[in-house]
């Protein structure tokens, strides 16, 4: 579902114009909003677990889901999974083209392949293209930096050279320069491969293609995507592969994807994390919201707290954000520690809390609503947020009868930090 303003182009940079393809009912490329994807971690053949995980992904706003299809048993489960979920299903295939053909028969909305690692290379790709063309579905050509070097025997990793000359002078190449050249060469090989695979598809008059050029090295991926975007108008699936755990992966993805999106490059994205896939979706939307490319969900502002604060802003902010994780209606919420920045940020938000000494002022749409003690912060903020949401989402945020439990601790300068509040 789209929300007001979501289809608008970025006001940061003009988004690069790409062809539009469709993955099920989700448009990718052209003027379509940048779609957010994830990938399940379950065994696909375990239909119950896979569907349950996809439901969790749907709840937090995932728009396209990919599943791994390593064996025929997994491929044969796809039809049942597809029947039970509500977002487009993508089959992730390596090596065996028969798996892709079965996935297509099972009714998936897209197949993701790396033609470079398919058995019988081009011949297999041609079979898959014939199948997806007949079903009218899309295909992603996924080129990864790791597989390129394995494929391309000519590729030699450039090493930093250090040499002691006879006259005693230590001579070494500039590491930064050597790395830049290495990065450019690898990116160029990735782009060349992607363009070659695209040309194979075009010879078969197939154009429902998205392309990814992933690397676990942020700057290599950025270089590859930039180069590709200058030479092709096929829609681009952005990702930093094997980016790492929650913090590491979120930072690498934000830097890499942020650089590209700010330049108008990218039509769909996945943030890859060594975490539950549901964790990937808020990170992806946060990147898009930060660049004003999407406005779905909660724009959240909270202060880090400091020696001026006299409420436990960290606990309150974390608890409010956690409880708003499933909200998809665009809404701006602020949780602030004190009068320095609190009233300003809270007034600018749809709902805001500006802390004082063990109490806080609640704002709604720029107006002061009331002042509440710290043990009522959570109830007061969530009640106001719920009042601005559609009924279905409001009930997720604010249960009938209100919020009885209290977020964590409180602190004041007189009493010190981390004094537990007595639960009501
Ligand atoms: S709003 Fe107040 S408590 Fe929060 S960081 Fe700023 S000065 Fe510190």
């Amino acid at each position: 579902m789209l929300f007001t303003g979501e289809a608008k182009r970025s006001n940061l940079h003009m988004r690069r114009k790409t062809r539009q393809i469709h993955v099920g009912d989700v448009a990718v490329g052209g003027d379509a909003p940048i779609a957010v994807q994830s990938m399940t971690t379950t065994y696909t053949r375990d239909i119950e677990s896979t569907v349950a995980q996809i439901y969790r992904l749907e709840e937090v706003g995932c728009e396209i889901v990919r599943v791994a299809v390593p064996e025929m048993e997994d491929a044969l489960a796809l039809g049942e999974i597809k029947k039970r979920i509500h977002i487009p299903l993508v089959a992730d295939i390596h090596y065996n083209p028969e798996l892709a053909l079965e996935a297509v028969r099972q009714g998936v909305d897209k197949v993701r392949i790396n033609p470079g690692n398919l058995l019988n290379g081009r011949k297999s790709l041609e079979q898959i293209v014939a199948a997806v063309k007949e079903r009218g579905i899309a295909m992603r050509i996924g080129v990864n930096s790791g597989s390129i070097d394995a494929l391309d025997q000519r590729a030699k990793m450039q090493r930093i050279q250090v040499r002691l000359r006879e006259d005693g002078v230590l001579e070494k190449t500039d590491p930064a320069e050597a790395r830049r050249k290495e990065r450019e060469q690898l990116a160029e090989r990735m782009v060349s491969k992607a363009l070659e695979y695209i040309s194979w598809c075009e010879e078969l008059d197939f154009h429902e293609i998205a392309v990814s050029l992933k690397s676990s090295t942020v700057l290599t991926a950025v270089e590859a995507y930039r180069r590709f975007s200058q030479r092709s108008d096929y829609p681009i699936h952005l990702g930093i592969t094997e980016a790492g755990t929650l913090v590491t992966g979120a930072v690498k993805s934000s830097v890499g994807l942020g650089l590209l999106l700010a330049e108008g490059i990218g039509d769909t994205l996945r943030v890859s994390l060594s975490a539950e896939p549901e964790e990937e979706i808020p990170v992806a939307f946060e990147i898009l919201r930060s660049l004003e490319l999407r406005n779905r969900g909660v724009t959240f502002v909270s202060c880090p707290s400091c020696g001026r604060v006299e409420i436990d802003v960290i606990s309150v902010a974390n608890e409010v954000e956690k409880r708003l994780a499933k909200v998809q209606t665009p809404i701006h919420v602020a949780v602030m520690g004190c009068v320095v920045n609190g009233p300003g940020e809270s007034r600018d938000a749809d709902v805001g809390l500006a802390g004082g000494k063990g109490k806080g002022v609640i704002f709604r749409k720029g107006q002061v609503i009331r002042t509440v003690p710290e043990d009522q912060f959570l109830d007061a903020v969530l009640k106001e947020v719920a009042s601005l949401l559609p009924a279905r989402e409001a009930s997720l945020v604010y249960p009938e009868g209100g919020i009885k439990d209290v977020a964590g601790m409180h602190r004041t300068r007189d009493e010190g930090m981390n004094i537990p509040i007595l639960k009501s």
Side-chain angles (χ1 to χ4, degrees), residues 9-72:
R9 288 177 176 280
S10 163
N11 55 14
L12 190 67
H13 278 276
M14 280 300 284
R15 193 166 142 205
R16 168 183 158 271
K17 182 80 180 163
T18 52
R19 298 163 187 244
Q20 189 167 88
I21 66 166
H22 287 84
V23 183
D25 59 0
V26 175
V28 173
D31 286 332
I34 294 164
V36 170
Q37 315 200 11
S38 185
M39 185 168 180
T40 55
T41 54
T42 53
Y43 295 117
T44 303
R45 65 190 67 183
D46 178 352
I47 295 172
E48 295 306 321
S49 301
T50 303
V51 167
Q53 192 170 62
I54 295 173
Y55 286 165
R56 292 197 294 277
L57 281 164
E58 289 179 359
E59 274 191 335
V60 290
C62 179
E63 294 166 313
I64 298 172
V65 66
R66 181 160 49 114
V67 297
V69 185
E71 293 177 16
M72 194 49 81

Side-chain angles (χ1 to χ4, degrees), residues 343 346-347 352 354 360-371:
S346 299
R347 214 169 257 122
V361 180
I362 304 294
F363 291 75
R364 183 178 187 272
K365 295 279 184 192
Q367 303 296 320
V368 173
I369 300 292
R370 57 200 160 112
T371 299

Side-chain angles (χ1 to χ4, degrees), residues 39 54 59 62 66 75 88 111 114 144 150 162 206 232 258-259 292 294 308-309 320 340 349 405:
M39 185 168 180
I54 295 173
E59 274 191 335
C62 179
R66 181 160 49 114
V111 288
N114 177 355
N144 278 30
V162 182
F206 180 67
S232 173
L259 277 169
E292 298 186 11
R294 298 283 303 262
R308 292 183 191 87
V309 75
V320 168
V340 174
D405 51 339

Side-chain angles (χ1 to χ4, degrees), residues 42-51 54 67-85 89-91 99 102-108:
T42 53
Y43 295 117
T44 303
R45 65 190 67 183
D46 178 352
I47 295 172
E48 295 306 321
S49 301
T50 303
V51 167
I54 295 173
V67 297
V69 185
E71 293 177 16
M72 194 49 81
E73 204 178 335
D74 302 295
L76 291 169
L78 294 169
E80 181 60 23
I81 294 169
K82 167 75 188 153
K83 254 189 261 164
R84 290 165 59 178
I85 65 174
L89 181 65
V90 181
L99 299 174
E102 184 56 41
V104 175
R105 277 193 288 274
Q106 293 281 325
V108 297

